Amino acid sequence: MMNESGKWWQKSVVYQVYPKSFNDSNNDGVGDLNGITEKLSYIKELGADIIWLNPIYDSPHVDNGYDISNYRSIDASLGTMMDFDQLLKRSHDLGLKVILDLVVNHTSDQHPWFKESKKSKNSSYHDYYIWKNPVEGHEPNNWGSSFGGSSWEYVKSVGQYYLHLFAKQQPDLNWENPKVRQEVFDVMRFWLDKGIDGFRMDVISLISKKPDFPDGTIVQKKKFGDYYYGAANGPRVHDYLKEMNKEVLSHYDVVTVGETPHTNVEEAVKYVDRRRQELDMVFHFDHMHLDYGEYGKFSKNRFKLLDLKDVLSRWQTEMAKHHGWNSLYWSNHDQARAVSRFGNDGKYRVSSAKMLGTLLHMMQGTPYIYEGEEIGMTNVHDAKISDYNDLETLDIYNRFQNDYHLTEEETMKAIHMKSRDNARTPMQWDESKNAGFSKADKTWLKVNSNFRSINVARAKDNPDSVFYYYQKLIQIRHDYPIITTGQYRLIDANNPNVFSYERIGNDNTLLVICSFAEKKIQYKVPDDLKKLDHKVLISNGDQYEWDTSGDVVLQPYAAVVYLIQGKEML
Ligand code: GLC
């Protein structure tokens, strides 16, 4: 068990802001930094401690800011450096920390380093990127890019291919080159010296590629091979992160969370075991993969509760065992909306949103709330393909139509379920034009048509709203150290309807019961708990009292947390 005092970020809750879609202060249809500053008091009122901003740097926005052309300046569409300084200061004045996205697996092809790099093999920047000679007149291997096509792009004037694991406008940096690492460390110092409180590190598990660039297997009816075997958790990734920690991070009191695709818990502990001094947390994808199927992410499957229990419990237990710390999330700017994917965004929207919040926020780790989750924002169910902006979505549309010959209806169904743009539609503040996000005639991405019934103003008018429930969850985390420190134990593992677990502390226990059933069900409290004194800390329905035999009746999507006195940690 960790020391009760812990690190500040272990007791914290993070609120993720997607700057383009949060609040538009100059009414040009795109959210901006001043818009965020205007809404800091909202985030404070919710109770979050840390704000994570998706990339705000200069960028051609091929991938919405994940293609950076200048790491030290603010994208003009979002504001100026003065605006950022003000945002940071106001946040700190309110006691909110700010972390930024560090996107250093790749840059934009418009970054001056890349422009120099592609001038010739003799350029002093050539080696900043990963260039390979053609093999028998073809690409050096079969890797496909995450957003469609090969991950190699040929540049005729150079006579070589460069690697891009993402769009071709996102060339991969060559971390083997010590100069590249120093450049990255300098960029980090630049922001840390301004006083930011940490970084979320984009696809950090991909920065070290296997030197022999082995072909990948071809799965999910794709034309190209997966690059993961050759690029995820590569041979030098931990050397690089140790170096980063020693040279930069260890000099500041900051928090880091690495996005680590294709990293299971055994691999993950290597990043976050405190004794290894690399990162503080990682975002894993194991629970995101539970509804993948023949078309990967865009399959029609729904997750199975037993699998979810298995995955989340494994991460809880293994992280605790290996001196690591979990990041806890249901959604972010790359995923569908939580309530649509894991709950029910129709009849049970409010209760299932609260239930999901309870399940996650009572676990050990640092919870991340994605903007709008706290009011139960949903996927978009009525958009046409012309309403979408995201390049992953447009690629899957083409593939479904042209390669797999699925119907328009099947294609759009998959997109409505999983497109990243589900999460990127503007924040719904009130029922005025554009949901109060912007006064522009047209917003960069259409507002979800349900904004009149789901918005912040309405939520704040209703004491039973998802907003106030999330506020209470955060408050409870702040008030009860057992949520940070208690030992996790899954109970009733084979119950197909209920996810229940204990958090066991020194002199009390939390019992968390979350139903995924859409009907009333009975649940039996474990024998060793049922005779002990208990009180309900939070629940999303009527008070749940159990009878003498320990039976509780759970409403559809019920969530209830009991604080139980007496049972001690073994
Ligand atoms: C990460 C980001 C995603 C982006 C990709 C490439 O997965 O979260 O939005 O498209 O990396 O940078």
Side-chain angles (χ1 to χ4, degrees), residues 203-352:
V203 294
I204 204 71
S205 55
L206 304 181
I207 58 176
S208 165
K209 281 79 179 173
K210 284 199 174 141
D212 56 340
F213 287 80
D215 272 345
T217 43
I218 298 181
V219 293
Q220 294 162 1
K221 306 186 178 185
K222 288 186 187 156
K223 280 192 189 150
F224 295 93
D226 261 344
Y227 58 72
Y228 295 118
Y229 170 69
N233 308 310
R236 297 191 60 198
V237 65
H238 297 291
D239 296 342
Y240 298 153
L241 292 178
K242 284 205 168 72
E243 184 180 314
M244 178 195 278
N245 191 300
K246 185 160 169 259
E247 291 216 13
V248 186
L249 297 170
S250 62
H251 302 281
Y252 303 84
D253 179 19
V254 291
V255 62
T256 54
V257 50
E259 185 204 25
T260 52
H262 287 265
T263 301
N264 59 25
V265 70
E266 288 75 33
E267 284 294 331
V269 293
K270 298 184 195 158
Y271 291 89
V272 297
D273 182 331
R274 280 186 277 288
R275 298 164 306 181
R276 292 170 55 95
Q277 308 207 336
E278 295 185 23
L279 301 177
D280 296 322
M281 295 174 252
V282 295
F283 286 127
H284 72 83
F285 288 75
D286 280 1
H287 57 320
M288 294 292 126
H289 289 163
L290 294 178
D291 54 13
Y292 278 35
E294 62 173 334
Y295 300 112
K297 172 176 174 179
F298 289 88
S299 310
K300 279 185 284 191
N301 309 359
R302 190 165 161 98
F303 75 99
K304 295 192 182 63
L305 184 60
L306 294 187
D307 296 340
L308 185 70
K309 292 202 229 185
D310 181 49
V311 162
L312 295 184
S313 301
R314 189 165 51 228
W315 280 81
Q316 287 287 298
T317 321
E318 290 301 303
M319 280 292 161
K321 215 194 283 174
H322 294 281
H323 310 272
W325 190 251
N326 271 293
S327 64
L328 307 168
Y329 75 98
W330 285 124
S331 176
N332 58 41
H333 64 292
D334 290 332
Q335 303 295 340
R337 287 279 173 184
V339 70
S340 302
R341 187 175 188 179
F342 293 98
N344 173 322
D345 65 7
K347 188 168 169 201
Y348 298 114
R349 184 184 68 86
V350 171
S351 44
S352 66

Side-chain angles (χ1 to χ4, degrees), residues 124-189:
S124 51
Y125 284 89
H126 192 66
D127 211 19
Y128 268 45
Y129 294 85
I130 300 175
W131 293 92
K132 295 277 172 219
N133 291 327
V135 175
E136 291 164 14
H138 293 288
E139 288 81 3
N141 70 17
N142 74 354
W143 292 0
S145 126
S146 280
F147 300 142
S150 164
S151 65
W152 297 97
E153 182 74 9
Y154 188 65
V155 178
K156 214 167 158 200
S157 55
V158 181
Q160 287 185 313
Y161 288 90
Y162 69 85
L163 178 71
H164 59 92
L165 298 183
F166 296 89
K168 67 170 185 242
Q169 297 89 342
Q170 295 170 295
D172 279 49
L173 283 165
N174 176 18
W175 276 70
E176 294 278 320
N177 181 347
K179 282 197 217 143
V180 167
R181 305 204 293 276
Q182 286 312 319
E183 297 269 18
V184 169
F185 300 163
D186 279 350
V187 166
M188 293 173 72
R189 288 187 199 104

Side-chain angles (χ1 to χ4, degrees), residues 63 66 103 106 147 166 170 200 202-203 259 333-334 420 424:
D63 186 17
Y66 282 93
V103 186
H106 45 267
F147 300 142
F166 296 89
Q170 295 170 295
R200 174 265 189 189
D202 192 57
V203 294
E259 185 204 25
H333 64 292
D334 290 332
R420 308 199 291 183
R424 298 175 182 187

